[in-house]
Amino acid sequence: MSARRLNRQLKGIAVSPGIAVGTVHLLEAEPVNVPKYWISDREVTGEINRFRQSLKRTQTELARIKEKLCKFQAGDQAKIIDSHRLIAQDEQLVEGTIQAVRQEKINVEWAFHKEVQKMMEAFPKTTDAYFRERYSELGHVARRILLNLLGADAPSLPKLDKDAAIVAHDLSPTDTVQLVKGMTQGFVTEAGGSTSHTAIIARALDIPAVCGIEGITHLAHEGDPILIDGNEGLVILHPSAAEQKQYNTLRKKFERQENQLLKEAHLPSVTMDGYRLRLAANMELLDEIPAIKSHGGEGVGLFRTEMLFLSRKRLPSEDEQFHAYREVLQKMAPESTTIRTFDIGGDKVMDDEDFDEGVNPALGLRAIRYCLKRRDLLKTQLRAMLRASRFGPLKILIPMITNLEELRQVRKIVGELQDELRDKGSPFDGSVKLGAMVETPAAALMAEELAAESDFLSIGTNDLIQYTLAVDRVNEEVSYLYEPLHPAVLRLLKIISDAGRARNIDVSVCGEMAGDPLCFLILLGLGLTELSMTPLSIPRVKKLTRSVTFRQAKQLLDRALDCKTATEVEHLVQRETQKIRAFAKL
């Protein structure tokens, strides 16, 4: 059997749900050769004019793409194209290029390329998916501008067979817009992640997609049969006849389920014996708010604010932050919104000459540690939040708390800022809640003391698991040790939930565990008040909630806490979850 015919199962990141059965269409981006030459003084003006014309052409192309996206009922996601238009008129990019042409006397393609490289080098070297995607988007826009400078055709997709499934190293959002449902079955990329604009557009257009499969463009060949499971992040090259039949059946079943789940998304999230579990959404982009509402989200459980300083040379001003927070609070009211203060550091680094990553950034100056060192930054952000608080119920979440002193310092600052606003006659909501994010074993073991001085607790399970098990989940050598159902993790979760209940305060989970159906029964059994997850996960988790009793979940948790290994817990939970899913017809 030739290598091309090998049946291969490849695991990636599930970014857009659904199942696609089709044939591979390889999409390879042609490299752009940047000409480099010196110019005379007389040629400077001509080069600058060429640059301005190419920028204008780029803006026109992006406007047409946005119009096309709007036609396919993805108006809110069309705003993503606006972000590309903003990149194309970025002051640093435009003025930096013009300055290089004038001062260095080089052709405009060379000057532009140098400026783009400079901006890309300013991005943090991070494993954080969000920052990798923003880096990628700068590259997409820069490529479009360069092609226009060179007079080349704008990148476009060829006419595809209706069963085609795109396989590419990367896809820009503008490429994705052209993958209208019906023209393609789905796509797989080596780059990208669930927070990318490409992924958001794919979800808006209802196209199954899997990202993060390294080497797929070398393994797949034009015309190869392929299965894409956007629910599980699985891709099968050269599926057997049995697999094709199985996935065709799964696809029909999935489509029926999704339609039914969306119809029920606005029903109350209450167990069969009356336990109320609030289901909220995690968000990074304001564009996600419509999806939160349409999928039955009961507020925002985690608004990650790091997006506000993305690719900037300076921090966002208080007014810029105020407008962003106000928009979220207004649109989500009367439901509450939990805004997390900047979680800077670790794998999310910023352009600050005072910032030192250290040799072990995950354990270094990050999150609230950094913000307490840079109090000007923290005060600006908290003041913006307080000013916005009158537009909707606000909860402020402090990340990476490890001791009470940190929480007390923040509470003191909040009190001082409220006095300051009061003195100025600036209105704010005096009942804003302040919560601690529990994501270290130290915070978990101190949960009782933290609960006594917090208005709520929010468990960040991604970091809690990482720090408890001392495992870097993005390190391929040890990622198998990242086990959410490890007995040590369960015992810490129990300590935190018990502490919150004893103080009668809300305890929520906002990590990936919250949206994982396998972990659902355990989290429900803990007696948490809220789970916060990606909007797309909410209808399914809500259905599970409505198909089980709290008593069942609590009994399962008790049995899980007696287990000695993560494998034992997993087998136990899998058996019970299968019963619930069968009952719920999921």
Side-chain angles (χ1 to χ4, degrees):
M1 181 181 286
S2 73
R4 290 189 59 171
R5 294 181 181 172
L6 280 178
N7 175 287
R8 288 177 183 272
Q9 294 200 8
L10 305 160
K11 193 79 174 76
I13 304 166
V15 301
S16 184
I19 292 170
V21 181
T23 56
V24 169
H25 176 78
L26 273 173
L27 192 67
E28 296 178 77
E30 294 293 327
V32 180
N33 292 317
V34 179
K36 297 177 182 176
Y37 52 89
W38 308 104
I39 61 173
S40 67
D41 287 339
R42 286 185 303 171
E43 293 172 306
V44 167
T45 302
E47 288 295 286
I48 293 172
N49 286 340
R50 267 204 317 122
F51 181 49
R52 294 196 187 284
Q53 285 166 6
S54 75
L55 291 175
K56 190 175 175 182
R57 200 174 306 128
T58 301
Q59 293 288 355
T60 303
E61 288 170 1
L62 290 172
R64 285 180 187 151
I65 290 168
K66 179 181 173 183
E67 186 182 347
K68 182 174 181 177
L69 191 55
C70 289
K71 284 181 183 174
F72 292 100
Q73 299 179 335
D76 291 303
Q77 282 69 27
K79 292 177 184 171
I80 291 169
I81 304 303
D82 288 336
S83 72
H84 282 210
R85 298 178 75 181
L86 285 175
I87 292 174
Q89 61 191 35
D90 180 89
E91 186 179 342
Q92 179 191 343
L93 189 64
V94 175
E95 293 306 317
T97 300
I98 291 173
Q99 200 172 20
V101 170
R102 281 184 175 139
Q103 294 180 351
E104 300 177 40
K105 302 290 187 295
I106 57 178
N107 67 306
V108 71
E109 290 90 347
W110 188 4
F112 177 70
H113 180 68
K114 285 176 69 171
E115 200 56 39
V116 170
Q117 292 304 307
K118 201 187 302 178
M119 289 178 72
M120 287 186 149
E121 285 167 9
F123 269 82
K125 292 174 182 173
T126 174
T127 57
D128 184 274
Y130 181 77
F131 289 92
R132 286 203 311 268
E133 295 311 327
R134 304 294 89 80
Y135 175 94
S136 172
E137 283 167 12
L138 172 60
H140 291 314
V141 177
R143 176 183 169 83
R144 182 172 287 273
I145 294 172
L146 256 181
L147 287 172
N148 276 325
L149 270 172
L150 294 167
D153 290 336
S156 62
L157 293 177
K159 188 174 180 182
L160 302 172
D161 292 335
K162 66 178 181 181
D163 71 336
I166 298 286
V167 174
H169 171 72
D170 197 6
L171 281 176
S172 72
T174 49
D175 287 333
T176 313
V177 171
Q178 299 173 65
L179 301 178
V180 177
K181 185 83 173 176
M183 284 178 62
T184 184
Q185 296 299 310
F187 70 80
V188 185
T189 62
E190 296 179 335
S194 59
T195 63
S196 68
H197 283 161
T198 297
I200 292 169
I201 291 177
R203 291 192 286 268
L205 298 179
D206 197 17
I207 299 173
V210 175
C211 294
I213 297 188
E214 194 172 343
I216 182 75
T217 55
H218 297 293
L219 294 171
H221 297 79
E222 188 75 20
D224 282 352
I226 187 171
L227 293 176
I228 301 172
D229 184 346
N231 306 315
E232 302 294 332
L234 184 71
V235 171
I236 304 177
L237 284 173
H238 293 282
S240 65
E243 285 170 330
Q244 290 196 41
K245 185 178 178 185
Q246 176 196 355
Y247 274 84
N248 270 320
T249 303
L250 283 174
R251 177 171 61 176
K252 290 174 185 170
K253 182 181 175 186
F254 174 80
E255 289 170 355
R256 283 197 303 271
Q257 278 182 357
E258 285 301 296
N259 289 336
Q260 187 59 35
L261 286 171
L262 272 178
K263 284 180 186 172
E264 298 175 2
H266 294 283
L267 294 175
S269 179
V270 181
T271 65
M272 292 166 69
D273 53 355
Y275 185 84
R276 175 82 166 87
L277 178 65
R278 193 164 174 262
L279 299 184
N282 298 337
M283 65 170 281
E284 294 172 335
L285 303 168
L286 300 178
D287 307 277
E288 295 175 87
I289 292 174
I292 293 171
K293 293 194 166 187
S294 64
H295 287 75
E298 302 169 279
V300 173
L302 175 67
F303 178 26
R304 300 183 178 98
T305 53
E306 296 79 41
M307 51 85 76
L308 294 173
F309 64 81
L310 171 74
S311 74
R312 290 165 178 258
K313 279 292 183 185
R314 60 174 179 80
L315 288 163
S317 69
E318 181 181 318
D319 277 349
E320 286 172 313
Q321 293 187 56
F322 164 71
H323 290 303
Y325 304 150
R326 183 182 63 180
E327 184 171 348
V328 179
L329 289 165
Q330 273 180 327
K331 288 184 174 175
M332 292 311 303
E335 302 287 1
S336 67
T337 297
T338 302
I339 304 180
R340 184 177 68 183
T341 57
F342 288 143
D343 187 7
I344 299 165
D347 59 2
K348 297 185 275 289
V349 191
M350 61 175 295
D351 186 22
D352 182 347
E353 59 182 14
D354 296 328
F355 187 83
D356 180 7
E357 290 182 59
V359 294
N360 205 342
L363 304 180
L365 187 63
R366 55 166 295 197
I368 193 55
R369 302 171 181 180
Y370 177 78
C371 287
L372 285 173
K373 186 178 180 186
R374 283 288 311 274
R375 293 193 179 215
D376 57 326
L377 179 154
L378 178 62
K379 284 183 176 179
T380 300
Q381 185 175 34
L382 289 173
R383 195 184 296 109
M385 287 186 195
L386 291 172
R387 285 174 55 203
S389 65
R390 67 192 176 99
F391 295 98
L394 169 65
K395 297 162 82 173
I396 299 175
L397 181 61
I398 311 302
M400 195 67 178
I401 289 283
T402 54
N403 60 60
L404 267 178
E405 285 79 8
E406 290 167 332
L407 184 64
R408 286 173 180 167
Q409 288 181 66
V410 177
R411 192 175 283 286
K412 185 180 175 197
I413 292 170
V414 170
E416 291 169 354
L417 291 171
Q418 287 175 324
D419 289 342
E420 180 185 310
L421 291 173
R422 206 172 283 117
D423 292 344
K424 288 181 179 174
S426 182
F428 64 94
D429 178 5
S431 63
V432 169
K433 293 183 176 176
L434 185 67
M437 193 162 182
V438 183
E439 49 190 337
T440 66
L445 294 171
M446 293 293 292
E448 200 174 310
E449 288 77 7
L450 288 171
E453 300 191 27
S454 299
D455 299 317
F456 68 98
L457 297 178
S458 179
I459 308 171
T461 49
N462 296 354
D463 275 347
L464 181 63
I465 297 166
Q466 172 168 284
Y467 289 127
T468 301
L469 304 180
V471 58
D472 180 354
R473 64 183 178 144
V474 298
N475 183 331
E476 292 178 3
E477 298 292 328
V478 295
S479 59
Y480 71 96
L481 291 171
Y482 186 87
E483 296 173 306
L485 296 177
H486 191 289
V489 175
L490 299 193
R491 291 171 197 179
L492 289 179
L493 291 175
K494 181 78 166 49
I495 291 172
I496 303 163
S497 60
D498 285 351
R501 204 162 36 252
R503 288 286 175 178
N504 198 29
I505 63 170
D506 288 349
V507 181
S508 63
V509 163
C510 61
E512 286 180 21
M513 218 175 154
D516 185 346
L518 187 60
C519 300
F520 166 73
L521 286 174
I522 292 292
L523 298 180
L524 175 62
L526 285 164
L528 301 167
T529 46
E530 177 183 292
L531 300 181
S532 187
M533 61 199 76
T534 63
L536 294 179
S537 298
I538 291 173
R540 194 166 291 270
V541 175
K542 186 173 282 190
K543 179 73 172 176
L544 286 174
T545 306
R546 295 170 56 83
S547 306
V548 68
T549 64
F550 177 63
R551 186 164 170 268
Q552 278 178 279
K554 195 168 180 315
Q555 287 174 344
L556 176 68
L557 173 69
D558 291 340
R559 291 165 63 195
L561 287 167
D562 287 335
C563 291
K564 293 181 173 53
T565 69
T567 305
E568 284 179 39
V569 179
E570 204 167 309
H571 287 165
L572 172 67
V573 174
Q574 269 177 346
R575 284 196 300 272
E576 292 304 311
T577 303
Q578 280 171 1
K579 290 180 197 171
I580 305 299
R581 292 182 78 156
F583 176 75
K585 297 181 180 176
L586 284 174

